């Protein structure tokens, strides 16, 4: 009888040949090894399929799935989760990098803290060459035992990539699947945190790559980003006002569905109303990757030393 792995990693990808091999090396070189890596190829037209098949032939932990057509990024994220078997789950991006100890530290945090439903680590934004552009400390209060405080923090504070944390799969099955309206990933994470607290490992172990071909950069308008998430968003039935209204409504729906007390539910609705008012102020909506880059030489962070597969890149 085949034993299911403890952790499943779902990697949805479309035309990711530029950075895919680097990300696969980083994941397969983790010090924590009890995982399966399920790749869902969204009908890529570049060299993605060849890369995936070559890696799958070398490592039995990989399962490569190829969709017959491009269903969009959001449905592909949801699809790959349904194909996973582990009690823990993590989405991985095809262009990000992961320090060797990321999975081990996150799984240990979940084992040590039964009340925690998601674990992630400190992170930095890197460029196309893997050089740190913007490091930042996690400032969100998602560790709080109080759901309204966690929810408020996710509404008001910039930063955080908890979407890519290690989660308890049973909790993920209880929330609404990832949608495709503007900033649907934010409402998705907000609903998850209404189910329980997160934990941030106090080490820089996750590196989010920001490059011209990343979906957010390649699709600068709200509508184009939503069409990238789901091709069904194209056309006159999905104007920008509708996409924004669904975004706000996504938060309200998350509050309604979550297992909250009446008092906590009212408090969360109050935080949502305050956030909507704040969005009218100048400067709202800061993005971490838009902050002024720092000089990597002064950071003392050597990505090549932390990430498997990059040893030969060290000076």
């Amino acid at each position: 009888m085949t034993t299911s792995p403890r952790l499943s990693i779902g990697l949805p990808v479309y035309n990711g040949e530029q950075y895919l091999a680097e990300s696969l090396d980083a994941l397969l070189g983790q010090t924590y090894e009890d995982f399966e890596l399920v790749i869902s190829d969204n009908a890529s037209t570049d060299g993605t399929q060849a890369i995936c098949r070559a890696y799958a032939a070398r490592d039995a932990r990989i399962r490569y799935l190829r969709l017959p057509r491009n269903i969009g990024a959001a449905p592909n994220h949801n699809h790959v989760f349904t194909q996973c078997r582990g009690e823990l789950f993590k989405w991985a991006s095809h262009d990000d990098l992961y320090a060797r100890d990321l999975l081990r530290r996150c799984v240990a945090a979940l084992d040590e803290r039964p009340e925690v439903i998601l674990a992630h680590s400190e992170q930095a934004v890197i460029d196309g060459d893997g050089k740190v552009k913007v490091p930042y400390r996690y400032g969100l209060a998602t560790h709080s035992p109080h759901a309204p405080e966690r929810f408020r923090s996710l509404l008001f504070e910039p930063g955080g990539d908890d979407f890519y944390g290690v989660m308890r799969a049973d909790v993920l099955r209880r929330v609404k699947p990832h949608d495709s309206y503007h900033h649907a990933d934010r409402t998705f994470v907000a609903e998850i945190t209404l189910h329980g607290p997160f934990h941030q490992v106090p080490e820089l172990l996750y590196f989010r790559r920001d490059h011209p071909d990343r979906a957010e950069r390649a699709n600068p308008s709200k509508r184009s980003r939503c069409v990238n998430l789901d091709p069904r968003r194209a056309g006159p039935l999905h104007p920008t006002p509708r996409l924004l209204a669904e975004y706000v409504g996504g938060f309200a729906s998350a509050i309604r569905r979550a297992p909250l007390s009446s008092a906590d539910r009212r408090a969360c609705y109050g935080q949502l109303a305050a956030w909507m008012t704040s969005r009218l102020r100048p400067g709202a909506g800061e993005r971490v990757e838009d902050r002024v880059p720092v000089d990597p030489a002064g950071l003392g962070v050597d990505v090549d030393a932390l990430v498997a597969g990059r040893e030969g890149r060290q000076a």
Side-chain angles (χ1 to χ4, degrees), residues 11-28:
L11 196 157
V13 60
Y14 174 71
N15 286 356
E17 66 177 3
Q18 184 175 9
Y19 299 112
L20 178 57
E22 291 182 42
S23 294
L24 292 177
D25 287 340
L27 291 168
L28 297 173

Side-chain angles (χ1 to χ4, degrees), residues 272-289:
L272 180 59
W275 172 77
M276 292 172 63
T277 301
S278 75
R279 299 293 294 179
L280 301 176
R281 301 169 187 162
E286 176 193 14
R287 298 196 321 154
V288 171
E289 54 265 53

Side-chain angles (χ1 to χ4, degrees), residues 137-218:
R137 289 194 174 278
Y138 188 89
L140 282 68
T142 53
H143 64 283
S144 171
H146 306 294
E149 184 176 356
R150 299 193 301 267
F151 185 70
R152 182 196 180 284
S153 180
L154 279 166
L155 286 173
F156 284 93
E157 299 296 328
D161 258 318
D162 295 304
F163 186 92
Y164 291 106
V166 177
M167 318 176 203
R168 300 192 191 277
D170 62 330
V171 174
L172 199 54
R173 294 187 184 96
R174 295 200 295 269
V175 303
K176 185 177 182 292
H178 187 350
D179 214 316
S180 55
Y181 47 75
H182 177 61
H183 280 340
D185 56 330
R186 288 178 57 83
T187 62
F188 183 77
V189 174
E191 181 167 357
I192 293 173
T193 201
L194 289 174
H195 285 254
F198 298 172
H199 175 77
Q200 294 294 315
V201 175
E203 291 183 34
L204 182 55
L205 301 173
Y206 174 60
F207 303 96
R208 178 159 55 88
R209 199 187 301 262
D210 186 40
H211 57 90
D213 294 328
R214 194 175 179 97
E216 295 86 350
R217 298 291 189 190

